[in-house]
Amino acid sequence: MKAPALPSANPLALRDRMKIQRQHMPEQSPEDRKTNFHEVNLGFSAELARQEALRCLECEKETCMTNCPVGVDVREFVRLIVAGDFAGAAAVVRKDNVLPAITGRVCPQEDHCEGNCVLRKKGESLGIGYLERFVADYEEQMGIRHLPTAEPTGKKVAIVGSGPAGLSAAGDLIQKGHKVRVFEALHELGGVLVYGIPEFRLPKHIIREQLDYLRDMGVEFETNVVVGRTVTIDELMNEEGYDAVFVATGAGSPQFMKIPGEHVIGVYSANEFLTRINLMHAYEFPRYDQPLIDFRGKDVAVIGGGNTALDAIRSALRLGARKAYVIYRRSEAEMPARAEEVKHAKQEGIEFQWLTAPIEFLADGKGWLNAMRCVRMELGEPDSSGRRRPVPISGSEFEIPIAVAVLAIGTSANPIIQSTTPGLMTDKRGYISADEKLQRTSRKGVFAGGDIVTGSATVILAMGAGRRAGKSIHDYLTTGEW
Amino acid sequence: MFKILQTQQLAPGIKRFVIDAPRIARKHLAGQFVILRVYEQGERIPLTIESSDVARGTISIAVQSVGKTTHLLTALEAGDSILDVVGPLGKPSEIAKFGTVVVMGGGVGTAEARPTAAALKAAANHVISIIGARHRDLVIFEDEMRAACDEVFVMTDDGSYGEKGFVTDKLRQLIERGTKIDLVLAVGPIPMMKAVADLTRTVGIRTIVSLNPIMIDGTGMCGGCRVLVNNESKFACVDGPEFDAHEVNFDVLVQRNSMYREEEKLEMNQFESEGDSLLERIRTGELQPCAIPGETK
């Protein structure tokens, strides 16, 4: 049960609060930022944060909280910002969200808290994401730590994957007194946060700080372990003594289009392109060893309309691309990318070609990409996703000269865990079948959540699954009931 | 950190490492590989596991110095460490009773083919091995192959040891002599594997090759290692590394493996002038991850 709301600290009458404009996030200018990988958004000062927080109407019916996947108590943390208690505000966020500095940067707030904000109906919603980021950064700057106080339960939980779902579950479980160890396949922790999301949107030091916090809370981490290959789930449970396992390995495998020319040099999957840049620092070649095609002066296209597509094309621009296109088969309205990223991309000079799809990649005599054949699309009848299906317009084929293409058209299930864990049921697409609320799989003691269950979604939805798993695992470990 | 317990110079430019990696040793099966990263600024490269010792908790790899990373790696000695080693990755070799199997190793591929040859022998196959190198100094693992196989033929390009010729010459000879061959496994440079595939295709002998495309994560996440097999995209890291040689498009593999040639040259030049100090900085632990990214190049 939620405690009753505390008295407002806001001195302003409601009508005066509504007169305050939404505060702008200070950011690097488009001209500057497109030549570097530093963070675009610079963060609120205490003054800006307080000014923004003053806009909150402190609605009795907290619509901002109804569809937060992790259930952050928005009204209370905003109230504490108004009261000037930033540490208290951070503590409130942290009760429900162990990665606040990350979600404050990458969560699509317009689909969750801000989308339901009453202020939005009258103008612009409260900048809840910006405020969350502010208190998270404040907490880190002040070195504040809330360490678990629960008595050890003697139970051990293995978490497979150190992405948002895994970390979220780890943070919740460690606070319940369980021993938690997170296994990561790559050499660096963070999963998609570290290999997928670029520095200019989510700096690596932020991820490391949030991981350090979890480490201080007692979470153990082991890198270079591909569960299913290095050790199986059965070995973790039978030989290493884990009482429960949470599988949070992410969606994994990049999809290709199955059109001619996908093997020519210069065609990357977004996962590979972004992994080279983010995880392997290829943008710092040759100071780092992992190479990347030299983008300087080249024309580049990304295929897709999600956040990954925008992360990729904006990275290409920063690598020195001359022209940078986003090619998307539906129209702007259907783009799944966050509104802020689309806005930022447009400001940076990214050119959008909506209702367009590639049909062939063309190579020069040496096997290097030099053009992409495309076709224009129109929207037909709604498909299974409810969105209108894009249909090619015959005779509209044309070529775009490009030297690099990045495919950001989605992912499919990575099969390693499923194929090495007997009795683990999957759906017909190969994702792990798990209960929607309890995150239980067909195997006793094995839970799953995040993209490996749902297919590609967002950081915050994965964290929501991690929280549900954390609660469900705790219930299982304390009652023994399955 | 993964400690190097022992090294052995197998031939000029080819060195064997015994590495402390108990988790990998326990799970390793013939045909699988590891991905390693030598130091913080290093790249990830795949290398086939040459053997493992569960009791000691070690794995061995044989490394030929070709580019910067392998040059750096072969400069390491027992007592040094490798920052990251992950595995065992990829599907293990298919081991069954086929009948007569010819295992072909080219260069460092001989070390990589040995565990599969031994497993095939243990599965009651008659195993003939053909190992090849440019010159006698580069012939490696002959004794190990003799211990693992029923027959061993050694070929050198210049005839300085064994018989003069390519490994395919010997295979052709065996076929022409009427040796009944049920399966061929070829591990080595791409031109060699392609030549073997071309030869056995004409006579319809099932042939397996172990592919070595550029790879990053090794878990099917990035798709960089995609190869064209039977005109379909396959990921060598999870669908392979072994494939039916007659279905592999080797030209695409050659082309894709050449895509960073300029960058590799640049790195190699840099390594030639700065390699010693780099090694020193790795050993003293001076190279650390940088928190602040640099400007774009």
Side-chain angles (χ1 to χ4, degrees):
Chain A
M1 284 298 284
K2 232 178 91 60
L6 292 162
S8 171
N10 198 324
L12 301 179
L14 292 186
R15 63 172 184 282
D16 291 327
R17 299 184 196 181
M18 284 163 69
K19 283 183 195 153
I20 309 172
Q21 295 291 306
R22 180 174 160 123
Q23 303 300 301
H24 286 289
M25 169 59 78
E27 58 186 37
Q28 283 197 70
S29 78
E31 281 315 305
D32 284 344
R33 72 192 189 222
K34 69 188 197 188
T35 61
N36 68 55
F37 273 82
H38 299 306
E39 194 172 12
V40 170
N41 286 346
L42 303 172
F44 273 177
S45 62
E47 197 37 54
L48 275 178
R50 190 153 181 279
Q51 195 65 14
E52 181 63 26
L54 280 171
R55 297 178 66 228
C56 179
L57 301 177
E58 298 174 283
C59 309
E60 198 144 322
K61 191 164 169 256
E62 299 151 299
T63 52
C64 51
M65 288 179 56
T66 52
N67 72 343
C68 174
V70 297
V72 169
D73 189 346
V74 176
R75 192 175 66 182
E76 178 59 7
F77 100 78
V78 175
R79 187 187 75 81
L80 287 166
I81 296 176
V82 173
D85 180 4
F86 302 146
V92 167
V93 175
R94 197 163 265 286
K95 273 195 304 182
D96 299 294
N97 178 353
V98 293
L99 307 170
I102 292 169
T103 50
R105 286 171 167 83
V106 303
C107 181
Q109 287 92 8
E110 68 266 25
D111 296 336
H112 300 286
C113 52
E114 293 185 18
N116 284 350
C117 175
V118 170
L119 283 172
R120 190 180 200 180
K121 297 185 187 107
K122 320 215 180 249
E124 284 193 284
S125 64
L126 184 67
I128 300 167
Y130 294 165
L131 292 174
E132 180 180 53
R133 170 189 162 141
F134 169 75
V135 297
D137 289 353
Y138 177 85
E139 178 187 57
E140 179 58 36
Q141 216 178 339
M142 292 296 157
I144 299 166
R145 289 284 192 267
H146 300 281
L147 300 181
T149 50
E151 285 296 310
T153 61
K155 302 286 186 185
K156 277 172 73 178
V157 183
I159 293 184
V160 186
S162 66
L167 295 181
S168 181
D172 284 355
L173 285 162
I174 201 82
Q175 295 186 62
K176 301 282 190 195
H178 306 300
K179 204 165 148 50
V180 179
R181 191 172 182 86
V182 180
F183 295 93
E184 168 56 46
L186 292 170
H187 58 259
E188 191 157 336
L189 297 167
V192 71
L193 304 170
V194 71
Y195 75 73
I197 303 179
E199 183 76 21
F200 57 81
R201 213 148 70 76
L202 178 60
K204 301 287 165 290
H205 76 89
I206 298 287
I207 304 166
R208 290 201 191 106
E209 287 159 7
Q210 302 279 287
L211 286 161
D212 283 343
Y213 198 126
L214 288 167
R215 223 178 251 122
D216 289 347
M217 289 169 83
V219 177
E220 295 172 3
F221 293 97
E222 187 171 344
T223 53
N224 295 317
V225 177
V226 180
V227 173
R229 293 265 190 247
T230 314
V231 63
T232 63
I233 286 182
D234 285 295
E235 287 163 346
L236 286 173
M237 298 182 86
N238 301 334
E239 294 169 29
E240 299 196 22
Y242 287 96
D243 301 290
V245 177
F246 177 45
V247 182
T249 49
S253 292
Q255 284 181 357
F256 288 86
M257 303 186 74
K258 298 185 163 60
I259 60 174
E262 274 179 350
H263 291 81
V264 306
I265 302 174
V267 180
Y268 283 110
S269 76
N271 274 13
E272 181 188 358
F273 175 64
L274 290 170
T275 299
R276 282 183 183 272
I277 294 171
N278 300 329
L279 179 72
M280 304 308 299
H281 294 253
Y283 66 93
E284 298 185 73
F285 180 89
R287 206 163 73 75
Y288 280 72
D289 292 341
Q290 197 94 41
L292 187 71
I293 289 175
D294 189 347
F295 276 62
R296 287 172 297 183
K298 289 183 179 151
D299 297 345
V300 179
V302 166
I303 293 95
N307 288 319
T308 306
L310 293 190
D311 284 345
I313 198 65
R314 294 173 69 200
S315 296
L317 193 71
R318 284 157 174 75
L319 290 166
R322 188 175 60 175
K323 280 191 171 172
Y325 306 97
V326 170
I327 310 287
Y328 182 52
R329 64 198 180 122
R330 301 178 198 256
S331 69
E332 180 170 12
E334 288 86 19
M335 279 182 69
R338 278 182 81 203
E340 184 178 46
E341 309 313 325
V342 177
K343 182 188 85 180
H344 279 157
K346 286 180 178 171
Q347 288 171 350
E348 290 168 12
I350 305 289
E351 193 180 310
F352 288 83
Q353 297 259 350
W354 290 291
L355 292 165
T356 305
I359 49 175
E360 184 175 6
F361 297 105
L362 305 167
D364 65 13
K366 291 174 184 159
W368 287 72
L369 181 68
N370 65 4
M372 179 167 68
R373 229 174 129 60
C374 293
V375 62
R376 297 289 186 198
M377 314 291 276
E378 59 189 350
L379 294 178
E381 295 301 307
D383 63 14
S384 58
S385 74
R387 297 179 298 178
R388 292 175 65 193
R389 184 194 304 274
V391 184
I393 302 172
S394 68
S396 68
E397 293 82 1
F398 67 104
E399 278 179 22
I400 307 179
I402 48 164
V404 183
V406 180
L407 300 177
I409 55 166
T411 53
S412 53
N414 187 311
I416 292 181
I417 298 255
Q418 295 87 313
S419 64
T420 54
T421 312
L424 190 67
M425 304 274 284
T426 59
D427 67 16
K428 58 179 187 293
R429 297 177 305 162
Y431 293 104
I432 298 175
S433 300
D435 180 277
E436 279 179 27
K437 282 206 180 69
L438 300 177
Q439 307 300 136
R440 290 180 178 181
T441 68
S442 55
R443 282 282 309 268
K444 189 178 177 187
V446 180
F447 300 75
D451 284 6
I452 192 60
V453 171
T454 59
S456 320
T458 60
V459 166
I460 193 69
L461 289 172
M463 287 177 62
R467 289 217 83 185
R468 288 194 298 278
K471 183 175 182 314
S472 179
I473 291 169
H474 175 67
D475 290 346
Y476 167 65
L477 293 179
T478 45
T479 65
E481 282 168 28
W482 184 258
Chain B
M1 297 277 262
F2 293 77
K3 197 161 190 139
I4 298 168
L5 301 179
Q6 204 181 318
T7 67
Q8 179 190 356
Q9 198 73 42
L10 296 174
I14 304 178
K15 196 163 171 178
R16 179 172 180 264
F17 294 87
V18 179
I19 302 163
D20 184 41
R23 277 196 187 277
I24 305 174
R26 243 184 86 197
K27 299 291 288 181
H28 165 240
L29 294 168
Q32 292 185 301
F33 63 93
V34 289
I35 284 187
L36 57 79
R37 191 174 69 130
V38 179
Y39 70 119
E40 189 58 45
Q41 282 75 17
E43 62 178 343
R44 292 170 66 100
I45 60 160
L47 289 164
T48 302
I49 302 169
E50 169 263 296
S51 67
S52 53
D53 184 332
V54 183
R56 288 178 67 203
T58 60
I59 58 164
S60 310
I61 50 173
V63 184
Q64 180 162 31
S65 39
V66 179
K68 172 179 174 178
T69 302
T70 45
H71 271 94
L72 179 61
L73 192 52
T74 49
L76 298 179
E77 297 294 347
D80 288 329
S81 288
I82 298 170
L83 188 54
D84 300 290
V85 182
V86 62
L89 300 170
K91 289 185 180 164
S93 305
E94 184 191 348
I95 304 298
K97 190 171 177 199
F98 297 101
T100 298
V101 183
V102 176
V103 175
M104 308 178 66
V108 75
T110 303
E112 299 170 352
R114 193 209 54 86
T116 306
L120 287 166
K121 173 76 183 148
N125 291 284
H126 181 79
V127 182
I128 302 169
S129 130
I130 309 174
I131 62 180
R134 274 181 285 124
H135 179 74
R136 67 173 301 154
D137 291 349
L138 297 169
V139 174
I140 60 167
F141 267 57
E142 184 188 348
D143 292 344
E144 287 83 349
M145 275 302 201
R146 288 198 188 280
C149 304
D150 297 287
E151 295 172 63
V152 175
F153 300 97
V154 182
M155 309 293 291
T156 50
D157 296 2
D158 60 3
S160 53
Y161 184 68
E163 292 175 53
K164 182 173 161 49
F166 297 129
V167 286
T168 39
D169 295 331
K170 176 54 75 180
L171 179 65
R172 187 179 298 107
Q173 208 183 78
L174 292 178
I175 293 168
E176 281 165 2
R177 277 190 202 153
T179 313
K180 190 187 153 295
I181 301 169
D182 299 289
L183 181 76
V184 170
L185 171 78
V187 187
I190 299 172
M192 167 225 159
M193 294 192 286
K194 183 175 191 297
V196 172
D198 289 344
L199 171 59
T200 57
R201 187 183 288 112
T202 58
V203 288
I205 301 174
R206 188 177 164 216
T207 301
I208 304 293
V209 284
S210 178
L211 303 186
N212 57 343
I214 294 170
M215 228 175 245
I216 306 179
D217 66 294
T219 64
M221 183 273 281
C222 88
C225 66
R226 63 190 187 278
V227 287
L228 206 51
V229 179
N230 204 11
N231 244 348
E232 244 183 88
S233 267
K234 295 281 181 192
F235 294 172
C237 67
V238 286
D239 301 321
E242 294 183 3
F243 292 97
D244 184 330
H246 300 154
E247 294 185 344
V248 171
N249 186 324
F250 287 100
D251 297 336
V252 164
L253 181 61
V254 168
Q255 218 159 48
R256 289 184 61 81
N257 273 5
S258 74
M259 70 189 285
Y260 298 113
R261 194 167 287 157
E262 290 303 315
E263 286 79 7
E264 285 159 4
K265 247 185 248 167
L266 185 97
E267 283 182 328
M268 204 48 227
N269 289 342
Q270 194 191 35
F271 182 76
E272 271 159 14
S273 58
E274 298 166 12
D276 289 345
S277 80
L278 178 62
L279 200 59
E280 180 65 29
R281 285 155 70 212
I282 291 169
R283 283 183 171 142
T284 56
E286 188 200 306
L287 285 173
Q288 289 301 322
C290 65
I292 309 296
E295 300 295 318
T296 48
K297 57 184 178 178

